[in-house]
Each structure stands twice: as structure tokens, then as C-alpha cells.
Amino acid sequence: MFSKLADIAVHYATTTPDKAAVRADGVRWTFADLHDRDRQAVTALRALGVQKGDRIGWLALNHIEYVTLMCACIRIAGYKVPKSADLIDALPRNPSGKILKRDLREPFWVGRERKVN
């Protein structure tokens, strides 16, 4: 249905513009709000010369505006939608609490000779 992550936001901004997209710290943004903020951020980033392939880093406190910046970066980069997503109850961890990423990835490499992309 969607080929890029940015297409998802556009779809919901068009089909359910008044539905809540983001809620944080007593603030509620609808999908239409998010889409408008996203477009403004994309315009601002492009005006600064940001383009596909660039690496963007930011240092900020947790804030609802982070969602806007993330969406704008996704739109500029043109990230594709993952083919699947699995939800799990808990992350596998060793006794000291380190997340065992290898254990998370293992099911995706079953039946393949090499464990690389």
C-alpha cells in the first residue's frame, strides 16, 4: 500500500486529518497538524541545503518537535517502508542488562548462508 514512510503521513493527513497523530506533554497534534509541520520543516531544511544522502545530527531535549524533525528527515531521505515488523514482549538481555542484538536479528537470517544484507 505504501512504498515510503512519508506516504503514510500523507495518507492519514488526507483520510483522517483530525485524528490524533502525536500526544505529548499535554499537546495533541492531528495528522493534518503533523503534515503541515512536516512540510514546513522540509522547506526549512532544504533552504539550509539539506538533501538526500546528507547526514543530520541534532542535540536536543525530548520534545514533541522531535517528531517534526524526524518526519522531515524521513521525507527528505526517502526512506522506504520495512517489509515487515515484529513486536516482541521484551528485548533479550544478558544478566548485566545489555540488549542482545544478535538474538534479535537471528530469525531474519535463518536459511541464509551469510548473515549480511
Side-chain angles (χ1 to χ4, degrees), residues 6-24:
D7 296 341
I8 296 171
V10 173
H11 170 77
Y12 287 108
T14 304
T15 60
T16 57
D18 297 325
K19 188 173 180 180
V22 180
R23 290 182 188 177

Side-chain angles (χ1 to χ4, degrees), residues 24-25 58-67:
D25 301 325
W58 63 86
L59 177 62
L61 299 173
N62 286 338
H63 194 272
I64 194 168
E65 291 294 342
Y66 171 81
V67 177

Side-chain angles (χ1 to χ4, degrees), residues 9-103:
V10 173
H11 170 77
Y12 287 108
T14 304
T15 60
T16 57
D18 297 325
K19 188 173 180 180
V22 180
R23 290 182 188 177
D25 301 325
V27 177
R28 177 186 180 269
W29 287 351
T30 64
F31 281 103
D33 295 333
L34 181 59
H35 184 58
D36 288 343
R37 289 172 181 275
D38 172 33
R39 288 188 313 192
Q40 291 171 8
V42 166
T43 301
L45 288 170
R46 286 191 174 145
L48 292 170
V50 175
Q51 57 190 348
K52 186 175 182 173
D54 287 350
R55 294 175 186 215
I56 301 169
W58 63 86
L59 177 62
L61 299 173
N62 286 338
H63 194 272
I64 194 168
E65 291 294 342
Y66 171 81
V67 177
T68 302
L69 185 55
M70 181 185 67
C71 289
C73 291
I74 288 170
R75 182 174 304 284
I76 290 171
Y79 292 126
K80 297 194 182 246
V81 175
K83 293 182 180 169
S84 68
D86 294 332
L87 301 177
I88 58 175
D89 293 326
L91 294 173
R93 296 179 183 270
N94 70 10
S96 68
K98 179 180 176 184
I99 296 173
L100 302 173
K101 293 182 243 172
R102 182 173 287 161
D103 290 358

